[in-house]
Amino acid sequence: MSVIEAVRWSPDGDGVRIIDQTLLPERFEERDMRTLEAICEAIQFLRVRGAPAIGVAAAMGLVVSLLHRAELPPDELRALAREHAARLAATRPTAVNLSWALDRMLARLDASSGDARALLAALRNEATALLEEDRVMCRRIGEHALELIPEGARVLTHCNAGALATAGIGTALAPIYLAAERGRKVRVYADETRPLLQGSRLTAWELERAGIPVKVIVDSAAGSMMAAGKVDLVIVGADRIAANGDAANKIGSYALAVLAARHEIPFYVAAPASTLDPSLEKGSEIVIEQRPRREIAAGFGRATVPEGVEVENPAFDVIPAELITAIVTDGGVHRAPYDFRSQGEQKADSRQQKAGRARAQGSRFRVQEGSQ
Ligand code: MRU
């Protein structure tokens, strides 16, 4: 079975190739994004989605958006890069991976010298490093979280925190893939995840494709499934984790955590270090994206809410740290009391190390830097 690559360079290296996730499960179509507008639209409309994937896509998109400006004086290219990064960062507010990846791109720009071509080469190398690092982080999360998934486990997950949401094998789904790879029997319940159905459309699609048993349930079935003893553990991804361990994730995650606590079922959050936001003390400081009315009111291609009735459509909610049994990052399994302030420092240090490592590694689209 071929590997899912939710985001990668197009074969000519001049575009960002994504799987258009709005079309799944009916159609598998890849699209090459070649302009700033196309990348912003793809992120905003969730053609590419999931916190790590949008960070990587935005970083690569920044490169693509500047490719035809190689004749600009370096200062003008730098200014344009900042302008484009700001537009990309504004597409979705909740996942910190987006601004984190773009900040890294701008830091690389600041640390680079030479003409516009040299600056573009440096940016391309940084975006490629981000892509490669995300793959590695996913696998590490999977390795660490494997100890939490016993043989025969019946796992409930929400939204999609799998390969489609990252550049690798996912975060919440990473240990499921590794458990299956090692012959462990695991069964998954995928919450359908209203209103955009990432669970039923995407999680079910990618697990079925991998031959992992999966059943879709409507979101409101989770409580009675737990009460009936059909769920052994819950694992979800995250879009932003505050220093105290409060974690923002797809709307409905909070309710699931409350239900899991009520039924004494472990509730795990899996996310890479790029999802930690040590600048926020607690989850109430996280900005929650509000999505358009049509996602609820016309979600099935027909009116599902009377025309004159208002809707409220927050895309995420915050799981309080006290309801989280463990947070698994690429650095290991963390248990309460959580304190990701120091992790933030490590994140900053390891960023520089990783950038150095990635520079040393070389890659397919790596181009010569520093050429005048
Ligand atoms: O709105 P989406 O589909 O981008 O929301 C995605 C989620 O909430 C995921 O659980 C989260 O980004 C983690 S993905 C590894």
Side-chain angles (χ1 to χ4, degrees):
M1 192 192 50
S2 60
V3 175
I4 292 172
E5 288 184 279
V7 50
R8 57 179 155 141
W9 294 112
S10 62
D12 60 9
D14 289 351
V16 183
R17 178 163 288 190
I18 60 154
I19 298 169
D20 186 342
Q21 299 188 31
T22 61
L23 304 177
L24 288 170
E26 286 173 316
R27 288 207 311 279
F28 177 93
E29 259 178 46
E30 290 185 306
R31 283 174 201 262
D32 292 343
M33 310 287 144
R34 296 182 185 277
T35 62
L36 178 67
E37 289 67 31
I39 302 281
C40 288
E41 193 268 356
I43 296 174
Q44 241 155 11
F45 283 86
L46 276 58
R47 298 188 196 286
V48 57
R49 47 145 299 283
I54 61 175
V56 171
M60 294 165 69
L62 181 63
V63 177
V64 165
S65 75
L66 297 167
L67 278 183
H68 300 293
R69 315 306 292 267
E71 304 312 324
L72 283 179
D75 282 352
E76 282 181 36
L77 187 94
R78 287 177 194 278
L80 196 60
R82 293 198 173 275
E83 195 187 307
H84 288 192
R87 282 176 60 187
L88 286 159
T91 51
R92 297 193 75 188
T94 303
V96 70
N97 309 62
L98 187 59
S99 53
W100 173 80
L102 289 164
D103 284 351
R104 244 186 68 171
M105 294 293 285
L106 295 179
R108 180 65 179 265
L109 192 60
D110 288 345
S112 304
S113 56
D115 63 8
R117 268 175 219 290
L119 298 179
L120 282 170
L123 285 175
R124 184 185 286 279
N125 289 350
E126 192 66 21
T128 302
L130 281 159
L131 179 79
E132 288 166 359
E133 284 167 28
D134 192 58
R135 278 191 196 128
V136 173
M137 287 198 278
C138 287
R139 195 152 269 276
R140 286 204 186 122
I141 290 169
E143 300 280 355
H144 291 305
L146 206 47
E147 67 178 68
L148 308 173
I149 316 279
E151 167 67 31
R154 295 156 305 167
V155 180
L156 175 59
T157 190
H158 190 66
C159 194
N160 173 264
L164 286 168
T166 64
I169 58 170
T171 60
L173 297 191
I176 314 269
Y177 281 121
L178 294 190
E181 203 175 280
R182 286 161 208 199
R184 233 178 263 182
K185 291 204 177 359
V186 183
R187 280 179 289 156
V188 177
Y189 288 116
D191 263 356
E192 110 187 294
T193 316
R194 281 282 286 148
L196 294 181
L197 309 177
Q198 289 94 329
S200 58
R201 292 190 304 106
L202 308 177
T203 296
W205 179 82
E206 66 167 89
L207 290 178
E208 199 233 356
R209 196 170 170 277
I212 296 171
V214 55
K215 260 189 198 175
V216 171
I217 59 170
V218 298
D219 300 335
S220 44
S224 62
M225 300 283 292
M226 289 183 193
K230 291 183 171 176
V231 176
D232 297 309
L233 63 101
V234 182
I235 186 162
V236 299
D239 287 81
R240 194 183 288 249
I241 301 176
N244 73 344
D246 290 349
N249 192 48
K250 180 52 56 192
I251 190 77
S253 300
Y254 169 54
L256 263 193
V258 172
L259 285 169
R262 167 76 174 82
H263 296 94
E264 296 180 358
I265 292 168
F267 186 99
Y268 302 118
V269 171
S274 51
T275 302
L276 301 174
D277 185 353
S279 75
L280 301 186
E281 205 183 307
K282 50 187 189 311
S284 55
E285 296 165 44
I286 298 174
V287 175
I288 300 294
E289 178 182 5
Q290 301 294 322
R291 303 273 313 168
R293 169 193 166 85
R294 65 173 179 276
E295 292 178 355
I296 294 179
F300 296 95
R302 47 163 296 208
T304 46
V305 176
E307 213 179 293
V309 175
E310 285 183 21
V311 304
E312 197 160 329
N313 187 13
F316 301 95
D317 56 25
V318 175
I319 312 153
E322 70 201 60
L323 296 180
I324 303 174
T325 313
I327 297 177
V328 188
T329 68
D330 45 298
V333 178
H334 308 265
R335 293 188 187 263
Y338 303 106
D339 183 356
F340 291 115
R341 281 171 304 180
S342 57
Q343 293 283 326
E345 282 154 30
Q346 283 167 23
K347 183 176 166 184
D349 291 347
S350 67
R351 255 186 240 171
Q352 283 150 9
Q353 290 164 9
K354 279 177 198 159
R357 269 204 306 278
R359 273 196 293 278
Q361 271 165 9
S363 80
R364 196 161 159 219
F365 290 111
R366 195 169 300 282
V367 282
Q368 207 55 44
E369 286 178 40
S371 60
Q372 283 289 342

